[in-house]
Amino acid sequence: MRIMERTEAARAVGTAGKAPAASAGPTLDVGFLLANHFTLSAFSLFIDHLRLAADDGDRSRPIRARWQVMSSRQDPIRASCGIGITPTAGLGDPASFDYIVVVGGLLHTGAPFDEETLAWLKKAAALGVPLVGLCTGSFVLARAGLMTGRRCCVSWYHYQDFRTEFPHHAPVADRLYVIDGNRITCAGGGGVADLATALIEKHIGRAVAQKSRHVLLLDRARSASEAQPHPPVAEGVADDRVRRALLLMEQNIAVPLPIADIARRVRVSTRQLERLFHAVLGQRPAEFYRQLRLRYARFLLDTTDRSVTAIALDAGFSDCAHFSRQFKAMHGFTPSDSRSAGPALDASMPSLAGSRVFE
């Protein structure tokens, strides 16, 4: 990912809520709210980036950055894995933080926060403090009415859950994180590390952000616009025949199967398979199969340095010119343009999973 992309994305974050820190104090102040049954990996990835950025070496002194785990009570907060984290502070002045990070976790296991904490979160929003939702923290912010009119990033795994609970929102499930003014939402997982890197680079500097990643043995930081690693295409498809057909397609990308062969394997006629695909996915099998292969090719272009010809073969296209024409018809630019411009062009890529599979 280009440094310019990360820097420009970071500049889009609102900075209301706290005046710039004096040179003698931390330049990045983060408060954490951990939901009941929160995701430990999301919390630990973010806070360890801060810890390593805050000091030289591995001494963990809060010099350049500072963090607090806040709660209305001092009882340990239990993660989804069963480990408890003891809060380090009560609910103080929300304007003292550059960001307030809400770490979500398991859905439908009771209220994630008490009313006092939710009221405090709304107060922070009213003061203009940037709010960050990690993992299902996006659900917490939406339930509190704090994502109205905002783009909201969710994991592909929880896409349908979000659509069901918030039918008037349009969630984004093909990005690592989304910055919309002073609201930031992140799908979770490894994307948390990329978001932490962007915020540290914005407030403390690129070298410090790189140092955190290097100590954690992480490779290049990805931009907000990079796609989430795609889920199995059959996820969420109820019809067993369509689901088995999708699995066959995914397992046979380099050497695509004829549609008639797929139909035979799932024990339906070709015509019946056409009708089933149209009813379930709104597309013909051949069209969906081609888009799946082109999406895989785009993933290889963004994440490897293999040649366009090699990627065309891996995606099941024997003719590179034909691959380029099909790729441009789907994405609006050629494979070579995609690689030279970098992942920022993902904004023009249709969300195949979001618009078809998860519906």
Side-chain angles (χ1 to χ4, degrees):
M1 184 195 61
R2 290 175 172 78
I3 298 303
M4 181 179 297
E5 292 169 359
R6 293 206 307 276
T7 304
E8 289 178 354
R11 283 176 184 156
V13 182
T15 56
K18 197 185 89 162
S23 58
T27 56
L28 181 56
D29 225 327
V30 180
F32 289 89
L33 290 175
L34 307 181
N36 293 320
H37 308 293
F38 70 95
T39 304
L40 185 61
S41 59
F43 171 61
S44 60
L45 267 175
F46 202 111
I47 205 165
D48 252 3
H49 273 74
L50 291 178
R51 177 183 68 85
L52 292 165
D55 196 5
D56 296 321
D58 193 23
R59 289 177 286 180
S60 303
R61 296 174 299 174
I63 297 173
R64 290 185 288 254
R66 181 169 52 200
W67 52 91
Q68 295 283 359
V69 177
M70 303 169 298
S71 177
S72 59
R73 301 182 299 174
Q74 287 304 299
D75 300 326
I77 307 165
R78 189 170 295 277
S80 57
C81 63
I83 292 175
I85 298 293
T86 301
T88 60
L91 300 175
D93 179 9
S96 64
F97 296 104
D98 292 298
Y99 301 93
I100 293 170
V101 178
V102 178
V103 185
L106 295 180
L107 294 175
H108 316 305
T109 56
F113 295 107
D114 58 25
E115 290 301 321
E116 182 180 355
T117 303
L118 290 176
W120 185 88
L121 190 59
K122 292 177 182 178
K123 177 183 177 182
L127 291 171
V129 181
L131 305 180
V132 180
L134 301 183
C135 191
T136 60
S138 55
F139 284 74
V140 175
L141 296 177
R143 287 170 184 165
L146 301 176
M147 293 302 297
T148 302
R150 309 273 190 155
R151 292 190 305 147
C152 187
C153 182
V154 299
S155 165
W156 64 265
Y157 189 78
H158 290 299
Y159 178 87
Q160 193 56 54
D161 292 311
F162 197 93
R163 286 289 303 272
T164 300
E165 186 170 350
F166 309 105
H168 300 298
H169 284 271
V172 176
D174 60 355
R175 302 288 184 270
L176 296 176
Y177 59 92
V178 168
I179 298 172
D180 192 342
N182 56 6
R183 297 289 187 277
I184 307 173
T185 46
C186 176
V192 173
D194 302 299
L195 172 57
T197 297
L199 297 182
I200 290 168
E201 181 173 325
K202 168 184 169 63
H203 289 270
I204 305 176
R206 176 173 175 256
V208 174
Q210 293 275 21
K211 176 243 184 178
S212 291
R213 296 190 70 88
H214 290 163
V215 174
L216 292 171
L217 304 182
L218 295 174
D219 203 351
R220 69 176 184 93
R222 297 169 294 178
S223 69
S225 62
E226 289 199 43
Q228 297 176 25
H230 75 276
V233 294
E235 183 73 28
V237 175
D239 190 289
D240 182 63
R241 296 161 297 182
V242 174
R243 185 168 62 249
R244 284 185 287 128
L246 291 174
L247 290 173
L248 283 170
M249 290 177 180
E250 188 175 43
Q251 293 163 4
N252 294 274
I253 288 181
V255 183
L257 296 172
I259 299 302
D261 193 14
I262 294 175
R264 179 183 57 79
R265 294 195 189 192
V266 299
R267 300 184 179 181
V268 297
S269 68
T270 302
R271 187 163 185 163
Q272 187 178 4
L273 187 65
E274 295 271 352
R275 288 198 299 267
L276 288 170
F277 261 71
H278 188 270
V280 174
L281 300 174
Q283 291 179 286
R284 299 175 60 238
E287 181 184 3
F288 188 95
Y289 204 175
R290 182 175 61 254
Q291 290 185 1
L292 176 65
R293 291 157 50 213
L294 289 168
R295 185 181 179 198
Y296 177 64
R298 179 68 197 275
F299 173 77
L300 293 178
L301 284 165
D302 287 347
T303 59
T304 74
D305 58 0
R306 304 190 66 188
S307 70
V308 172
T309 300
I311 289 173
L313 293 174
D314 278 351
F317 294 89
S318 57
D319 183 341
C320 193
H322 176 63
F323 164 64
S324 294
R325 287 194 300 271
Q326 293 289 327
F327 189 95
K328 185 174 183 179
M330 179 176 177
H331 298 295
F333 44 85
T334 67
S336 298
D337 289 339
S338 170
R339 176 159 281 170
S340 62
L345 283 175
D346 275 344
S348 61
M349 176 182 177
S351 174
L352 176 62
S355 63
R356 295 297 183 194
V357 176
F358 295 121
E359 294 179 0

